[in-house]
Amino acid sequence: MSALIPRPRLVLAPGAVHVPGWLTPEQQRELVVACRDWATGPVPIRHTELPAGGVMSVRTVCIGWHWQPYRYTRTAGDVNGARVAEFPDWLVELGRSALVAAYLDPAAGDGYTPDTALINFYDDQARMGMHQDKDEKSTAPVVSLSIGDSCVFRFGNTTNRNKPYTDLELASGDLFVFGGPSRFAYHGVPRVLPGTGDPDTGLAAGRLNITLRVTGLT
């Protein structure tokens, strides 16, 4: 849904940049179609079980590599034993373009080759606690894309889950990149804002979050 007042690009911390409305409506629709396809398999979307016995409230599907707490594998031994869908070249190019847009540097995407994406679907009750993305063996930036309902995104520090942190709204089409000194910052989603998305994206309700990452694995 278009904002009445333009939202400016925002640098939250060194290496952490919010670019509102970066994805075009057509790109959002194409990503929704792709995510629906990936959600059906070969490894289907699911609620991830945590080692301590809990279950994540978001539903997740992976491509390129399969993530389970707290490691990556080529096959999903915790789901159905299948190998996840391949990571497409067009998504690599989208990730490179995202870095150029975030860092305002034509060379920012050079050599950036994400090889996995975690795709999380949030319904209106889903949350994500404060955590670090630290299972990768690479310090390359994480590219985060939002589609559907807006959410409150909490971006914190690299030391712990507590303050200081900043809450901002991520809306459909928004890009958020965190790399460099902010690569291992704690972050989370304390709540989704139901009814704020645009059905023209192809997503009638809920929020899709697609995070592109470089695993550093072979």
Side-chain angles (χ1 to χ4, degrees):
M1 190 173 296
S2 298
L4 296 177
I5 301 174
R7 296 173 297 148
R9 172 181 173 273
L10 178 65
V11 179
L12 271 75
V17 184
H18 176 213
V19 185
W22 182 69
L23 289 170
T24 67
E26 181 179 4
Q27 286 175 311
Q28 293 177 62
R29 288 190 290 269
E30 290 172 350
L31 282 166
V32 169
V33 170
C35 288
R36 283 207 172 101
D37 183 50
W38 293 324
T40 64
V43 179
I45 195 167
R46 86 288 184 197
H47 291 282
T48 301
E49 294 186 11
L50 299 171
V55 177
M56 294 177 65
S57 59
V58 301
R59 286 185 284 164
T60 304
V61 64
C62 306
I63 59 173
W65 288 84
H66 178 72
W67 178 82
Q68 56 180 302
Y70 295 97
R71 61 193 177 98
Y72 286 100
T73 55
R74 284 295 193 185
T75 56
D78 61 328
V79 183
N80 61 1
R83 182 169 174 140
V84 297
E86 295 296 323
F87 194 96
D89 291 341
W90 61 263
L91 201 53
V92 173
E93 293 302 322
L94 188 65
R96 290 173 177 169
S97 297
L99 294 188
V100 171
Y103 294 139
L104 302 179
D105 178 357
D110 293 356
Y112 183 66
T113 308
D115 59 347
T116 191
L118 272 63
I119 300 152
N120 290 324
F121 176 75
Y122 293 73
D123 62 22
D124 59 3
Q125 299 300 311
R127 308 286 185 269
M128 182 73 72
M130 294 291 279
H131 66 283
Q132 293 173 300
D133 292 345
K134 61 179 182 179
D135 298 325
E136 298 78 27
K137 307 302 180 185
S138 168
T139 58
V142 173
V143 170
S144 173
L145 305 169
S146 296
I147 303 173
D149 285 340
S150 299
C151 76
V152 175
F153 179 65
R154 180 165 291 170
F155 191 78
N157 61 82
T158 58
T159 304
N160 57 56
R161 295 177 174 82
N162 305 319
K163 293 182 178 181
Y165 53 69
T166 300
D167 285 352
L168 73 155
E169 184 175 313
L170 294 183
S172 194
D174 285 7
L175 163 67
F176 193 91
V177 171
F178 51 103
S182 295
R183 172 57 180 83
F184 297 105
Y186 283 88
H187 57 284
V189 176
R191 65 184 180 277
V192 173
L193 307 174
T196 52
D198 186 346
D200 284 346
T201 61
L203 194 63
R207 172 182 184 255
L208 277 174
N209 178 228
I210 304 163
T211 56
L212 313 184
R213 305 142 184 249
V214 178
T215 65
L217 301 171
T218 58

